[in-house]
């Protein structure tokens, strides 16, 4: 996948701060993962992978976040990090690092929750940042719907149609159960949580503004009542005659 942009090709050039940090952390964890497996301590990594049964019965809630930094192989992490670099940088430039990081982890953790809810007693571990990556793809498609993306590096299509295709594949694969070792449920969960956040955010701010407006009016009424009582108290304490 590729899209036309002015982002530089060198590592660190044109790359936004939050995206760069996520990539560096993922690469560092992947190196730790390879060394740990080579040393024969692979069971330690299972404590960090997302296992629905463990989350619900052993309360290993940290797995909902730690599984995002583990990957199943070199090409797995390569695909995820390249996709994050290609699409996440424009999102971070538009939103800023803070909101981008919030959205990234919201969709990633949301993808993990989806896996747990769909298969609560599953002992199969899930790992990888693909749920968050799909959330990034969705946001890119909604914010830059007409940006051309090269499907299979050959066919240019608008970003909105690319996201629809990817979402359709994830949905059909999750319904059919033909995963082939890929957690399409997590992909779908990242898309769903991203969509709910992006579409629900305006309603949240509208509700918040209404609430703040109601609080201001309530405080104004209390202040008027207080001032009215104070004026009456001053009139009652005023002397009956003036001394000149």
């Amino acid at each position: 996948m590729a899209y036309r942009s002015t982002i530089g090709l060198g590592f660190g050039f044109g790359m936004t701060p939050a995206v760069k940090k996520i990539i560096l952390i993922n690469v560092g964890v992947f190196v730790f993962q390879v060394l740990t497996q080579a040393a024969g301590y692979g069971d330690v990594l299972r404590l960090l992978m997302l296992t629905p049964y463990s989350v619900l019965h052993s309360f290993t809630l940290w797995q909902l976040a730690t599984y995002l930094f583990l990957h199943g192989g070199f090409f797995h992490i390569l695909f995820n990090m390249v996709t994050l670099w290609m699409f996440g940088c424009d999102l971070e430039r538009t939103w800023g690092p803070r909101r981008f990081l919030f959205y990234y982890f919201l969709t990633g953790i949301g993808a993990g929750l989806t896996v747990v809810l769909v298969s609560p007693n599953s002992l199969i571990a899930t790992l990888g940042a693909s749920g968050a990556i799909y959330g990034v793809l969705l946001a890119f498609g909604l914010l830059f719907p007409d940006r051309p993306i090269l499907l299979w590096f050959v066919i240019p299509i608008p970003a909105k149609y690319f996201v629809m295709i990817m979402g359709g594949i994830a949905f059909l694969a999750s319904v059919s159960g033909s995963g082939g070792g890929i957690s399409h449920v997590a992909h779908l969960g990242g898309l769903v949580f991203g969509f709910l956040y992006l579409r629900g955010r305006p309603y949240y701010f509208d509700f918040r503004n209404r609430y703040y407006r109601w609080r201001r009016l309530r405080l104004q009424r209390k202040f008027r009542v207080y001032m009215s009582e104070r004026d009456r108290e001053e009139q009652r304490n005023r002397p009956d005659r003036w001394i000149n």
Side-chain angles (χ1 to χ4, degrees), residues 38 45 72 78 118 128 142 169 183 196 209 211:
L45 297 174
L78 178 65
V118 171
L142 292 177
I169 292 173
S183 181
L196 292 176
N209 292 336
Y211 171 71

Side-chain angles (χ1 to χ4, degrees), residues 11-13 15-26 84 89 92:
F11 183 79
F13 295 95
M15 189 176 296
T16 50
V19 169
K20 185 174 182 179
K21 289 177 181 177
I22 293 174
I23 292 176
L24 288 174
I25 293 173
N26 274 274
L84 174 63
C89 290
E92 186 179 350

Side-chain angles (χ1 to χ4, degrees), residues 204-220:
Y204 161 75
F205 281 107
D206 180 64
F207 173 79
R208 190 186 69 173
N209 292 336
R210 289 175 182 270
Y211 171 71
Y212 286 154
R213 188 159 53 247
W214 171 79
R215 283 193 62 185
R216 286 197 300 269
L217 293 174
R218 189 165 177 264
L219 290 173
Q220 289 174 1

